[in-house]
Amino acid sequence: MKKTVLSLTLAASVLALGACSGGDNKTIATSKVGDITVADFNKTSKNLSGSHILSQMLTEKVLADKYKVSDKEIKEAYDATASQFGNDFAQALAESGLTEEGYKDALRVQLLSEKALKDKAFTEADVKKHYEQMKTELNGRHILVADEKTAKEVIAKIKGGAKFADVAKEYSTDTGSAKNGGELGWFSVGAMVDEFNDAAYALPVKTLSEPVKTSYGYHVIEVTDKRDVKGVGSFKDEETNIRTQMLSKLASTGEDQKVLKDIIAKMAKDADIKTSDKELEPAIKALTTTSEEQAKAQEEAVKKAQEKAEKESKDDKAEDTDKK
């Protein structure tokens, strides 16, 4: 199945909704039921998606100040999508509410965003850590449980003399490895979720880990063997491939969009963006808010709502008491 045009861009359709040029009273559409002027169109466009358009325009300006995208890169990306659709491309653009130029504008933002993500998603220290780990493969086993208390119980049983394999079969919720006594076989850097990966690579051979929390639950890990990986080049030779692998993994979890939002938010803050239009201030605030700040604001909002509900409940009870 072919991808839709919109799935290949960052809010592409929004970028296509630019304001019409010409005098405010200029008529851009006529009908028996009424005409539409430039002023009508621009006002409705602003009300419907003005904040999104401003956000995308500012995103492009912020990113373009540091990164460059050539016309050649845009043409290559455009042609790649066009070839997917063949003769249906013009129709696909029209159905998405896009012109050729609108789509190219969206591609420019997407390509700028990809460059920012590649540049800032990982520090050199992150990449070097990955490089050092890729020189070694691990053979390990684990037991996955729902909570830390159970994980500590598992550790106590094994340290008390129980066989790892038997405890894995009894406790582990990872049914795939549990039937094999928790065995995972040989694995290399990036094969496991980050928390598991780092804990495993830090472990001496035949040493139980403390409970390791991941999105799956709590793991008890044991590395049973290690071996060197042959053919690993110098850091300079491997760096580009490492960054590509790390970005691919980030994208597979959906975390790339969260990281990108934070990158753009920090760059937008540094740009000191302001607007004289009160209606567009929320768009700028959203653009300059990091995911961490957003989460904190949401927590505070929930807390205030709970406090308000508790106060209203107390007031209602006090009022009922007074009536009695």
Side-chain angles (χ1 to χ4, degrees):
M1 182 182 293
K2 293 178 180 176
K3 293 181 179 179
T4 64
V5 177
L6 286 179
S7 71
L8 303 175
T9 66
L10 296 172
S13 58
V14 170
L15 281 173
L17 295 173
C20 283
S21 59
D24 285 351
N25 294 323
K26 180 182 177 182
T27 300
I28 59 171
T30 62
S31 74
K32 292 180 180 180
V33 293
D35 300 341
I36 295 176
T37 65
V38 169
D40 294 332
F41 181 87
N42 289 345
K43 182 180 179 181
T44 301
S45 294
K46 178 184 174 183
N47 291 339
L48 287 175
S49 40
S51 61
H52 295 290
I53 294 171
L54 179 66
S55 178
Q56 289 294 337
M57 292 175 72
L58 288 172
T59 295
E60 180 177 2
K61 283 187 175 294
V62 165
L63 293 175
D65 185 60
K66 182 172 176 62
Y67 305 102
K68 304 301 175 188
V69 171
S70 67
D71 290 341
K72 181 182 177 183
E73 289 175 292
I74 294 172
K75 185 179 184 304
E76 288 174 351
Y78 182 91
D79 290 346
T81 307
S83 66
Q84 281 187 301
F85 287 86
N87 294 331
D88 298 329
F89 189 47
Q91 182 181 346
L93 285 174
E95 289 175 352
S96 298
L98 288 164
T99 63
E100 287 187 12
E101 289 307 310
Y103 183 58
K104 287 178 181 178
D105 287 342
L107 282 175
R108 181 182 298 277
V109 178
Q110 177 173 300
L111 293 171
L112 285 168
S113 297
E114 288 173 358
K115 291 190 176 187
L117 195 59
K118 190 172 184 179
D119 181 39
K120 291 183 174 291
F122 305 104
T123 65
E124 188 170 338
D126 293 330
V127 181
K128 283 185 175 177
K129 182 177 77 172
H130 184 106
Y131 173 71
E132 292 302 322
Q133 291 178 345
M134 71 184 284
K135 296 177 183 178
T136 307
E137 282 185 325
L138 308 179
N139 195 316
R141 53 188 181 178
H142 83 135
I143 298 170
L144 176 63
V145 294
D147 54 70
E148 187 176 14
K149 181 181 177 183
T150 308
K152 288 182 176 180
E153 183 180 327
V154 162
I155 292 170
K157 280 205 168 191
I158 296 171
K159 287 185 175 180
K163 291 183 178 180
F164 191 106
D166 293 339
V167 178
K169 290 174 183 177
E170 179 183 356
Y171 281 86
S172 187
T173 58
D174 178 5
T175 54
S177 66
K179 61 185 179 183
N180 296 319
E183 294 291 339
L184 297 168
W186 289 98
F187 60 91
S188 55
V189 59
M192 307 297 181
V193 293
D194 291 344
E195 300 89 345
F196 187 108
N197 178 89
D198 290 345
Y201 270 92
L203 274 177
V205 173
K206 297 182 180 178
T207 303
L208 284 181
S209 72
E210 292 299 313
V212 177
K213 184 180 180 181
T214 72
S215 57
Y216 296 100
Y218 287 81
H219 306 256
V220 177
I221 308 167
E222 183 182 19
V223 173
T224 55
D225 199 3
K226 296 183 180 183
R227 66 186 179 192
D228 293 335
V229 176
K230 297 178 180 179
V232 177
S234 67
F235 177 73
K236 185 178 179 180
D237 292 336
E238 301 286 355
E239 183 176 6
T240 299
N241 286 335
I242 291 172
R243 287 186 180 275
T244 299
Q245 290 171 22
M246 293 173 74
L247 281 172
S248 295
K249 186 174 181 179
L250 202 64
S252 70
T253 62
E255 283 292 301
D256 57 330
Q257 292 307 306
K258 177 182 174 182
V259 173
L260 179 61
K261 173 178 172 50
D262 290 345
I263 290 170
I264 293 172
K266 290 170 185 175
M267 293 177 73
K269 281 182 180 179
D270 291 340
D272 193 26
I273 299 169
K274 294 181 175 65
T275 180
S276 58
D277 192 325
K278 295 286 185 183
E279 292 180 357
L280 295 176
E281 284 181 353
I284 293 176
K285 184 177 180 181
L287 182 66
T288 56
T289 300
T290 64
S291 58
E292 184 178 347
E293 291 168 339
Q294 190 176 52
K296 186 176 180 182
Q298 289 172 345
E299 287 177 7
E300 289 177 354
V302 170
K303 184 179 178 182
K304 286 181 180 179
Q306 290 175 338
E307 290 174 349
K308 182 181 178 182
E310 289 172 3
K311 184 177 183 301
E312 289 176 349
S313 177
K314 288 180 181 178
D315 290 343
D316 289 343
K317 287 180 181 178
E319 187 178 337
D320 290 342
T321 302
D322 291 340
K323 287 179 180 180
K324 290 179 182 178

